[in-house]
């Protein structure tokens, strides 16, 4: 009975988030994530494989059409619900950022609050950006000509591993899905613990399965598959390595991907419209 006085410290197991579910990697691999500055394991994190990546892309592709055809108001409601759910888990996420990334309390609090603000910001834009960037075009002839924005499709997100910014990362996610795109994101290895709370937030916010998919794993292993997969319509490359960017841009010429390089102002209309296409329609208006 003396063992009861020495409770066992059980490390967390952090799974992937694919198609609204929490699967372990099909490869059975994992890697340890340590408490910042210590040798104590915080969690064992699933190491995604190429097959996990393919499964995530398939889930995103399947979900994209129905997500894009939801009303903009409905998408706004779901994003706002995410903000509510994150607010309710404020303390948990703050502690996680302090333990795994070594942030000071004030910095961790600011990061969570700015992430919540980003969710509210893009929730507000979900049913407004169309009016701001759509146009009625003057043309010669008996036609009504107008341009409207549409979602690009399935988008991948690759983020900086060093100096991970939780608020910026959250803003990148919602900037992508706000307009009807679906997402496959490779979470930076050093910050992979954030998958646990944020995927639970997504899963409990009325977000349809497959709209957001989160993978944890090694960038060098999975990056080549992000560059060559034919079902990705765009890649948001929010990293500073110019050689990697060049490699992605060259590969995108063959697979017809849009490449969005690193931006400073993620929480902006300009960043949102990086993930839309413009469709122009000609309609007879009389003779």
């Amino acid at each position: 009975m003396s063992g009861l006085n020495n409770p066992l410290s059980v490390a967390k197991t952090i799974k992937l988030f694919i198609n609204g579910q929490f699967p372990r990697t099909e490869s059975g691999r994992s890697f340890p994530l340590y408490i910042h500055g210590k040798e104590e394991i915080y969690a064992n994190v699933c190491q995604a494989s190429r097959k996990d990546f393919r499964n995530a892309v398939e889930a995103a592709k399947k979900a994209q059409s129905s997500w894009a055809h939801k009303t903009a108001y409905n998408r706004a409601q779901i994003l706002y619900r995410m903000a509510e759910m994150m607010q309710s888990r404020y303390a948990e996420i703050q502690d996680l950022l302090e333990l795994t990334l070594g942030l000071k309390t004030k910095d961790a609090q600011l990061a969570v609050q700015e992430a919540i603000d980003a969710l509210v910001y893009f929730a507000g834009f979900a049913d407004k950006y169309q009016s701001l960037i759509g146009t009625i075009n003057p043309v010669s002839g008996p036609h009504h000509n107008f341009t409207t924005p549409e979602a690009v499709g399935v988008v991948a997100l690759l983020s900086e591993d060093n100096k991970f910014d939780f608020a910026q990362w959250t803003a990148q996610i919602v900037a992508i899905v706000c307009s009807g795109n679906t997402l496959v994101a490779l979470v930076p290895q050093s910050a992979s613990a954030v998958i646990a709370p944020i995927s639970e937030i997504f899963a409990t916010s009325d977000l349809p399965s497959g709209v957001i998919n989160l993978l944890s794993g090694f960038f060098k292993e999975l990056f080549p598959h992000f560059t060559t997969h034919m079902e990705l319509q765009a890649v948001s490359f929010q990293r500073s390595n110019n050689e990697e960017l060049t490699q992605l841009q060259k590969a995108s010429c063959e697979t017809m991907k849009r490449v969005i390089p690193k931006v400073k102002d993620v929480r902006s209309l300009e960043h949102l419209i990086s993930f839309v296409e413009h469709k122009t329609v000609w309609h007879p208006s009389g003779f």
Side-chain angles (χ1 to χ4, degrees), residues 1-259:
M1 298 296 291
S2 61
L4 296 176
N5 297 322
N6 298 290
L8 179 66
S9 178
V10 180
K12 299 174 183 291
T13 298
I14 297 178
K15 303 176 185 178
L16 311 176
F17 183 59
I18 300 174
N19 201 28
Q21 300 178 351
F22 301 88
R24 291 181 169 85
T25 172
E26 59 81 29
S27 68
R29 299 176 302 171
S30 65
F31 61 89
L33 182 68
Y34 294 92
I35 293 175
H36 185 78
K38 298 184 179 180
E39 296 183 358
E40 180 180 352
I41 294 179
Y42 175 81
N44 293 303
V45 184
C46 286
Q47 182 180 336
S49 66
R50 180 181 183 180
K51 184 176 181 181
D52 295 318
F53 167 67
R54 291 203 309 265
N55 291 342
V57 174
E58 288 175 7
K61 182 182 178 183
K62 185 177 179 181
Q64 197 276 318
S65 179
S66 61
W67 175 242
H69 283 89
K70 285 187 177 294
T71 65
Y73 178 70
N74 188 204
R75 289 199 301 272
Q77 287 181 310
I78 292 171
L79 296 183
Y80 192 83
R81 178 60 177 166
M82 291 179 187
E84 292 178 334
M85 296 299 294
M86 187 175 290
Q87 183 72 58
S88 70
R89 304 184 71 159
Y90 189 109
E92 175 189 353
I93 300 173
Q94 174 197 324
D95 289 344
L96 182 151
L97 297 178
E98 291 181 35
L99 281 172
T100 61
L101 296 177
L103 296 185
K104 296 180 180 179
T105 298
K106 288 185 178 180
D107 293 334
Q109 290 173 341
L110 180 61
V112 180
Q113 187 57 58
E114 287 185 347
I116 294 170
D117 291 347
L119 288 164
V120 174
Y121 177 88
F122 285 107
F125 255 133
D127 59 355
K128 299 176 182 66
Y129 76 91
Q130 301 91 336
S131 300
L132 294 173
I133 65 175
T135 62
I136 297 176
N137 308 312
V139 294
S140 177
H143 292 88
H144 181 62
N145 181 279
F146 56 95
T147 300
T148 59
E150 292 187 345
V152 170
V154 180
V155 180
L157 172 61
L158 298 172
S159 303
E160 197 77 73
D161 196 18
N162 298 323
K163 298 181 179 180
F164 176 77
D165 188 322
F166 176 71
Q168 289 280 85
W169 181 74
T170 303
Q172 288 160 3
I173 288 176
V174 289
I176 291 168
V177 303
C178 175
S179 57
N181 299 298
T182 52
L183 172 70
V184 177
L186 178 59
V187 183
Q189 186 179 338
S190 63
S192 51
V194 302
I195 289 181
I198 203 163
S199 60
E200 291 171 2
I201 288 170
F202 296 152
T204 55
S205 299
D206 300 324
L207 184 73
S209 298
V211 173
I212 297 176
N213 305 273
L214 304 178
L215 303 175
S216 51
F218 297 163
F219 177 84
K220 288 185 178 180
E221 176 186 350
L222 294 176
F223 178 58
H225 309 308
F226 277 84
T227 65
T228 58
H229 201 293
M230 297 293 294
E231 299 298 338
L232 291 177
Q233 278 74 55
V235 178
S236 180
F237 188 82
Q238 302 303 308
R239 296 171 63 88
S240 301
N241 189 306
N242 290 328
E243 291 183 4
E244 294 169 351
L245 177 60
T246 300
Q247 180 182 345
L248 175 60
Q249 289 172 329
K250 287 180 178 179
S252 70
C253 295
E254 297 182 4
T255 56
M256 299 299 291
K257 289 181 181 60
R258 179 183 299 185
V259 177

